[in-house]
Amino acid sequence: MTDKNTGLENLRRADRLVAELVAGGVRLFCASPGARSAPLAVAAARHPGAELVVHPDERGAAFFALGWAKAAGLPAALLCTSGTAAANCLPAVVEAAMAHVPLVVLTADRPPELLHRGANQAIRQQDLFGDYPKTSVTLPCPDDPAPEAHTAGVAAHALHLAQRSPAGPVHLNCMFREPLLPEPEETPAWTPPGEAPQTVWHRAEETVDDATEAWLLEHLSNVRHGALVVGALDSPGETAAALALARALQWPVLADITSGLRLGAHGAPLVAHYDQMLLSNRFQEAFTPECVLHLGGPLVSKRLLAHLARVRPEYITVAGHGENQDPACLVRHRLDVDVASFCHWLAPPAKFFPKALWAEPLCTLSANVADGIAEWHAGQDSLTESGVALELSRACPADSLLFLGNSMPVRDMDMYGAARDGAGPRVLANRGASGIDGCVASALGAARGAGLPTTALLGDLAALHDLNSLLLARETAVPFRLVVVNNDGGGIFSFLPASKHKDHFEKCFAAPHGLRFGYAARMFGWDHEAPDTPEALRDLLSAAPSKGPQLVEVRTGRAENLSAHGALQQMLAARVDASLAEMGGL
């Protein structure tokens, strides 16, 4: 085969691969500039059904694709060149695997004759991401004799696996020989490249069998002290179904911040501040559910998980996959069924179950804690990190998206965010592996995927870690506000045992950087605001977002933050004790 035909065949095969993915539901392709990946990039750019986003950093591009897929509920594709470019995708691949996000990773590779020979930019890319992808296949060079249908069939199968429960990443390693592309004047116009999809995969819905249904209905109808725990949910549809079940069942609802119900569950007995209520030893003694029905994924609150591990209630988990998510070894019954379908099935009969009489006093106690949080912050003259979470939860409208960074932001929102009578905003976070990397890119990708005005709350180290992803704001048309809590280092470490090592704490753990974000914001064309009082922050968050992306920098002190959390929690524990004494228990 001549060199000219090699370039044509590369593009033709890449066209077929991209067309197969688009036919299977992929809409967004995220790419980074590279030579070896040229056939893939051009194929994505010229397909009329593909949206192409280009970002110079492979890690940021990967997290943007992940955030988009998580928010849109559709698979996204990521493509990059060979060598360390591909290796930079690993953090997002890990997060996609742990968080069950469908992601198709297309890595361009050198041909086999250049591998293991010291050729430039040639590394071992087969199984580069370990066992995190659900499949990893190296496709032969397009000018090898493998038929075009082979490429299409492999792509169709990989995309099916990416979406099959549990969803996750898949890896297609694509070898190309030079010349990588045909000459411009010899490049044919785009035409539908063959029949796509090559194979239509039909996914069966997992449902509860008749015997399990009968047992559940009889068992749950006899529970007097039950609790509905709602963990991370994957879509607005799952959140709506969980809310419908909560309204019907009327068990006290302990909703994680990533469930979509923690900041608003109208009509359900929401115990929003269960985490802070558990600061009270008296409450721990009183709150002993006999049965817990847990919907969805894991929880942010370690305090709740530790308490349930001590109480050892009968624990029933419903999650649409067979992975073992049970770090405290609590689960007695695991239902590997679709969460939304389960909720739709159980809600009608649940209306006739006996009501949990302790739901009302638990909600009253939670409201008392909410009042305590509000009163305490109203008396603060300086900005606090818990106050940032409180104000942000109040300011985000229901028809918006809230993205939370890891370490303290997601925890502060879980503990101190204000619940409202109606619906709260949609909430997303990268809680699969809970890393601080890629959070800016993920939030911007989620904003594009959801198509909603978006606010992201990150710590300063997370923002610095992904600073060049501020460039991706140009790929997002919706209003976007990034709130960065800048406490000059890793604030969460002040709450951990490492803080006792005074001689090494600052250098090894807190890692102060002494940086401010104003110049970075201007470099990337963002508006920058730095409110210095609670009132200024409240006014800023309540105002309409700016026309362009906005970075709000909130400066706090790590030592002051630790002290403020301690004072607030001590007050809340005493408040819960007093309320329980006045109520005479639950």
Side-chain angles (χ1 to χ4, degrees), residues 483-507:
V483 180
V484 177
V485 177
N486 186 356
N487 55 28
D488 193 26
I492 194 172
F493 292 107
S494 297
F495 295 83
L496 300 179
S499 61
K500 299 176 183 177
H501 296 267
K502 303 298 183 184
D503 293 343
H504 308 288
F505 178 72
E506 282 293 304
K507 182 177 180 62

Side-chain angles (χ1 to χ4, degrees), residues 86 107-110 115-116 123-131 133 135-140 171-175:
T107 56
D109 200 0
R110 261 53 180 173
L115 300 182
H116 312 291
I123 67 172
R124 294 186 300 275
Q125 292 184 196
Q126 174 63 35
D127 299 321
L128 177 64
F129 305 118
D131 60 359
T135 188
S136 182
V137 180
T138 292
L139 294 170
H171 176 210
L172 298 181
N173 189 47
C174 307
M175 289 183 164

Side-chain angles (χ1 to χ4, degrees), residues 124-179:
R124 294 186 300 275
Q125 292 184 196
Q126 174 63 35
D127 299 321
L128 177 64
F129 305 118
D131 60 359
Y132 287 102
K134 299 179 70 176
T135 188
S136 182
V137 180
T138 292
L139 294 170
C141 292
D143 56 354
D144 285 348
E148 186 177 314
H150 172 263
T151 296
V154 169
H157 180 231
L159 187 55
H160 166 70
L161 292 178
Q163 299 174 87
R164 188 172 187 265
S165 180
V170 293
H171 176 210
L172 298 181
N173 189 47
C174 307
M175 289 183 164
F176 294 106
R177 289 190 175 97
E178 297 183 14

Side-chain angles (χ1 to χ4, degrees), residues 183-402:
E183 293 298 324
E185 64 274 9
E186 297 172 347
T187 302
W190 186 90
T191 57
E195 184 179 352
Q198 170 75 19
T199 305
V200 178
W201 289 82
H202 299 273
R203 296 190 299 275
E205 181 178 320
E206 296 287 347
T207 58
V208 182
D209 61 86
D210 292 343
T212 301
E213 285 185 358
W215 172 79
L216 273 172
L217 291 175
E218 179 181 2
H219 186 70
L220 296 179
S221 65
N222 290 313
V223 172
R224 295 296 181 271
H225 288 82
L228 181 64
V229 171
V230 189
L233 297 176
D234 293 333
S235 68
E238 285 192 353
T239 299
L243 177 57
L245 176 58
R247 288 169 171 167
L249 189 59
Q250 288 295 304
W251 285 9
V253 179
L254 283 60
D256 185 82
I257 190 62
T258 59
S259 68
L261 297 178
R262 165 65 181 80
L263 299 181
H266 183 62
L270 178 65
V271 185
H273 293 288
Y274 57 86
D275 181 275
Q276 297 298 277
M277 291 156 64
L278 285 166
L279 293 166
S280 161
N281 291 330
R282 186 189 290 265
F283 179 75
Q284 292 182 30
E285 294 172 1
F287 182 62
T288 55
E290 60 181 287
C291 179
V292 167
L293 179 60
H294 181 146
L295 305 176
L299 308 172
V300 170
S301 174
K302 293 175 65 174
R303 196 171 284 118
L304 175 61
L305 195 62
H307 176 70
L308 294 176
R310 290 190 295 269
V311 174
R312 311 302 299 182
E314 182 170 39
Y315 210 95
I316 303 170
T317 298
V318 181
H321 58 81
E323 293 188 356
N324 186 19
Q325 292 181 336
D326 185 21
C329 300
L330 277 169
V331 179
R332 293 284 303 279
H333 301 278
R334 174 63 181 256
L335 277 63
D336 182 7
V337 297
D338 179 73
V339 172
S341 298
F342 174 85
C343 293
H344 291 316
W345 164 76
L346 184 58
K351 296 177 182 178
F352 302 100
F353 291 175
K355 304 307 176 188
L357 298 179
W358 69 343
E360 184 176 350
L362 283 169
C363 289
T364 300
L365 196 58
S366 181
N368 196 343
V369 171
D371 291 342
I373 293 171
E375 293 168 8
W376 189 87
H377 285 99
Q380 302 302 305
D381 296 326
S382 58
L383 288 163
T384 63
E385 296 184 21
S386 57
V388 172
L390 177 63
E391 295 297 343
L392 198 54
S393 67
R394 290 169 170 170
C396 286
D399 56 346
S400 70
L401 177 68
L402 175 61

